[in-house]
Amino acid sequence: MNLFIDINTLTSISTVFYIILMPLLFVFWKHNKDIEAIKWWCIYPIFRILNSIISSDSQLYDEEAWIYASNLAVIISDSFLMIGCLKFSKRKVNYYYIAAFIGLFIITCIVQYNVDTLLAERAKSVVLFDMVTIAISIYALLHLEDKKYALEKYFTLFWISFQLWTFAFWFYIDFDLLNSAYALWLNFSLAGVYISHIFIIGGLIILTTAMRKNQLIEENENHQKLEANLTIALRDAQIANEEKIDFLTNMSHELRTPLNAILGFSESLKFDYYGTLNDKQLEYVNNIFAGGELLFKLITDLLNLSNIEDGKVDITLEEISLSLLINKTKPLLDEIVSHSPVTFDIINDLEEQKYNKAVYVDQIRIKQILMNFVSNAVKYGKKDGTVTMEIKEYDNRYFNISVRDDGIGIKKDQFENIFKPFNRAGNEKTKIEGIGVGLSIAKDLIEQMNGEIGFSSEQGSGSVFWINIPKSKQREFPLLEENQSDNEIKSDNEIKHDH
Ligand code: ADP
């Protein structure tokens, strides 16, 4: 039985395999560019293919120069394999040494070509150079962690070292490649070298997939660690927030008690319950009362905010006609504006029938929001400017109420801060009083009512703050009974209050 393997056929088969496997490596490289080794391993089969083409073409192989070229292709291809292995095991690569190494091989070839060296001697030098690259590749891969790459590492190492043992065998028989005593072994070893290259490329592919898998596992672990840390941080933040809320609530309560005394007693003095005050005394008592009231408002804001953050604010949604809601809110807004020389207009763009339709809101909270808008419009508006509240339909779901002023406006870079608690959007250092919680409370409240809030503003020209309040879905028809008595504000009617 003839056991000899037809080397020419094998060369062609292995070339086909190189051609099939090489694009696979390219695809891997395209998708995993962070694994630098693949780039070098992609080039490795190219030179192998070159070597196979030259050695399978008998005409070319008869010419000395082509044999040298094919040997050079072998050394270059294995150098790329070596660089890839070094990169893969995260070792430093000195490209100068590698260039010098290939240069040395080229010089050896030139010398051999000129002195007409025997084939066996030339083969020895190619194999010797090749053994260096292979030994370094083995050394690099041996350092890979077994835990991460066990199977892939030993599979690739087996086929790379197979070449080393084959070369050692060839040295053992002193490159007497026609030695009939070893003819079969020589044939096997040559076939083995070709086959080994196919398996090495396969090994490189599974090594890179293993590295990708390990990277994903690591990323996942890091992600989980990060998530655990975030959960801890979130819990700590929640505890801190609860403590802050408790503190604010307690402090607001504690402050309100003595403040009530200040307000009560100064009011008694103001109204001359205990004797008439002279002008100076009255002025000072008025100052005490005004200061006390401001403090009271700030503390109430704080308490409101802490209650909202604590989830203690109950929103009671009810149906009420829009006109009634506005009529009930109007006196409160008038009261705010009455202390300043500002002109307050209400513009109603709605037809009577629409104006009388029901909205589904917590009316106390809507009043609170509109009071905040109007008091801000006065605070940040022009001293003797105009504040305009406008009521219109937004869409099928909402009515829109906006409050416009012609005041200082808001800088664009502060837009994102407007609804953040305790943020005064650049007005911290001004004389305008406030603690920056009114709008954040307004936002929380309107969102709990399934409404919307927003604003537009231009620095120096003024601002418009608006809310969209949900229409009642249940009742499509006007709530006539509620409106009849309160129908002070007529459609398209502008009511002006000059102060
Ligand atoms: P406060 O008025 O107590 O500071 P708010 O929460 O009501 O708190 O408002 C937050 C910030 O938004 C204000 O400090 C101010 O800078 C800005 N702002 C609110 N309303 C207006 C407005 N009508 N015009 C200009 N800036 C405004």
Side-chain angles (χ1 to χ4, degrees):
M1 193 172 68
N2 184 5
L3 289 176
F4 281 87
I5 298 167
D6 178 1
I7 297 296
N8 279 341
T9 315
L10 194 66
T11 312
S12 312
I13 294 172
S14 51
T15 311
V16 171
F17 269 104
Y18 298 154
I19 292 171
I20 293 171
L21 291 175
M22 194 179 61
L24 261 182
L25 276 167
F26 268 108
V27 172
F28 263 98
W29 181 49
K30 192 168 176 294
H31 293 293
N32 303 283
K33 288 209 169 139
D34 54 324
I35 308 177
E36 214 199 327
I38 324 177
K39 182 172 71 184
W40 300 96
W41 286 340
C42 281
I43 311 169
Y44 156 67
I46 300 178
F47 286 91
R48 275 283 140 204
I49 294 168
L50 212 67
N51 170 262
S52 301
I53 292 170
I54 299 171
S55 45
S56 60
D57 187 326
S58 51
Q59 270 183 349
L60 284 180
Y61 217 68
D62 278 349
E63 285 183 40
E64 290 280 297
W66 280 107
I67 301 176
Y68 281 111
S70 124
N71 290 347
L72 183 61
V74 168
I75 298 301
I76 293 177
S77 90
D78 282 345
S79 299
F80 282 123
L81 173 71
M82 172 184 77
I83 297 174
C85 291
L86 287 167
K87 290 268 175 199
F88 195 81
S89 58
K90 300 200 169 57
R91 307 219 146 238
K92 253 182 94 177
V93 178
N94 191 323
Y95 295 102
Y96 293 116
Y97 286 165
I98 294 167
F101 173 77
I102 295 175
L104 188 66
F105 178 73
I106 294 172
I107 292 169
T108 314
C109 289
I110 295 169
V111 173
Q112 286 178 341
Y113 183 73
N114 284 319
V115 296
D116 218 358
T117 315
L118 288 175
L119 191 72
E121 295 307 312
R122 275 165 17 201
K124 266 186 207 169
S125 54
V126 180
V127 168
L128 205 60
F129 272 88
D130 208 21
M131 281 171 92
V132 174
T133 63
I134 288 171
I136 295 175
S137 303
I138 292 174
Y139 165 80
L141 291 187
L142 270 174
H143 280 84
L144 290 178
E145 267 180 77
D146 275 0
K147 216 169 72 191
K148 291 184 177 171
Y149 300 101
L151 178 75
E152 299 81 2
K153 168 180 155 180
Y154 289 109
F155 177 84
T156 317
L157 272 176
F158 174 81
W159 289 106
I160 298 183
S161 13
F162 176 84
Q163 297 196 344
L164 209 60
W165 294 119
T166 309
F167 294 160
F169 167 62
W170 291 351
F171 268 107
Y172 171 70
I173 59 162
D174 202 22
F175 280 78
D176 181 6
L177 301 181
L178 302 173
N179 189 328
S180 53
Y182 295 106
L184 189 63
W185 286 112
L186 270 166
N187 174 270
F188 278 3
S189 64
L190 207 57
V193 169
Y194 276 106
I195 291 170
S196 73
H197 285 295
I198 298 170
F199 285 114
I200 290 171
I201 299 175
L204 301 181
I205 292 173
I206 55 172
L207 266 175
T208 45
T209 30
M211 181 175 263
R212 191 78 199 111
K213 192 185 95 193
N214 286 325
Q215 282 177 342
L216 289 176
I217 292 172
E218 253 170 53
E219 270 171 34
N220 200 23
E221 280 169 4
N222 288 343
H223 217 262
Q224 278 172 354
K225 267 189 218 151
L226 198 73
E227 208 176 279
N229 288 342
L230 279 178
T231 315
I232 294 169
L234 190 71
R235 206 197 50 213
D236 289 350
Q238 270 164 352
I239 294 171
N241 197 34
E242 278 161 22
E243 283 169 0
K244 184 195 82 186
I245 289 168
D246 283 349
F247 170 75
L248 283 178
T249 316
N250 291 338
M251 194 194 72
S252 312
H253 276 302
E254 294 302 319
L255 287 176
R256 256 148 59 123
T257 318
L259 203 54
N260 276 329
I262 295 172
L263 286 174
F265 290 124
S266 57
E267 200 164 26
S268 319
L269 289 173
K270 247 170 75 164
F271 293 113
D272 293 344
Y273 290 155
Y274 307 105
T276 319
L277 301 178
N278 66 32
D279 286 351
K280 205 68 197 167
Q281 285 169 331
L282 189 64
E283 186 195 329
Y284 287 171
V285 167
N286 274 334
N287 285 347
I288 294 172
F289 187 75
E293 260 193 336
L294 178 68
L295 213 53
F296 194 85
K297 191 186 160 299
L298 298 183
I299 292 166
T300 310
D301 273 354
L302 275 183
L303 200 60
N304 263 328
L305 183 75
S306 53
N307 282 341
I308 285 176
E309 289 196 355
D310 211 6
K312 279 192 196 144
V313 170
D314 281 333
I315 297 286
T316 318
L317 297 178
E318 56 182 341
E319 286 183 327
I320 177 171
S321 80
L322 180 59
S323 56
L324 183 59
L325 179 68
I326 298 293
N327 286 344
K328 283 183 167 182
T329 314
K330 195 176 145 298
L332 303 168
L333 306 180
D334 284 342
E335 155 64 18
I336 294 170
V337 187
S338 68
H339 302 290
S340 73
V342 163
T343 308
F344 183 45
D345 296 342
I346 298 182
I347 300 176
N348 175 18
D349 296 333
L350 295 170
E351 290 163 17
E352 190 172 342
Q353 201 203 7
K354 279 230 164 108
Y355 191 43
N356 286 334
K357 279 202 170 174
V359 288
Y360 193 56
V361 292
D362 181 327
Q363 52 167 312
I364 295 178
R365 302 300 176 188
I366 292 288
K367 283 177 198 161
Q368 186 180 344
I369 295 168
L370 292 177
M371 282 164 71
N372 179 249
F373 281 1
V374 171
S375 93
N376 278 350
V378 173
K379 277 199 303 185
Y380 303 101
K382 240 199 235 156
K383 251 204 165 64
D384 50 359
T386 307
V387 172
T388 315
M389 186 164 100
E390 191 176 357
I391 303 139
K392 57 182 184 231
E393 186 165 38
Y394 184 76
D395 61 13
N396 293 340
R397 289 181 305 155
Y398 299 115
F399 285 116
N400 177 277
I401 307 177
S402 61
V403 175
R404 175 187 300 277
D405 66 65
D406 47 7
I408 57 173
I410 300 163
K411 275 194 200 158
K412 279 237 151 35
D413 62 358
Q414 291 292 349
F415 277 18
E416 58 183 319
N417 297 324
I418 290 299
F419 295 108
K420 288 183 187 160
F422 301 107
N423 198 308
R424 299 217 53 218
N427 278 310
E428 303 76 10
K429 293 199 177 107
T430 61
K431 283 195 180 142
I432 308 171
E433 286 144 356
I435 50 169
V437 296
L439 287 177
S440 80
I441 293 174
K443 185 171 188 294
D444 272 329
L445 292 176
I446 194 77
E447 281 172 0
Q448 285 191 51
M449 283 182 250
N450 305 316
E452 294 174 341
I453 193 167
F455 71 97
S456 56
S457 183
E458 204 171 309
Q459 202 186 2
S461 305
S463 317
V464 185
F465 279 84
W466 55 261
I467 45 171
N468 278 339
I469 57 173
K471 294 177 179 176
S472 164
K473 283 190 195 121
Q474 284 89 338
R475 224 189 285 198
E476 281 298 323
F477 300 104
L479 303 173
L480 286 172
E481 336 77 65
E482 283 161 327
N483 294 318
Q484 270 151 1
S485 59
D486 288 293
N487 230 346
E488 287 166 25
I489 302 177
K490 297 269 183 307
S491 311
D492 300 327
N493 191 14
E494 204 172 292
I495 298 177
K496 291 195 174 177
H497 296 262
D498 294 329
H499 299 279

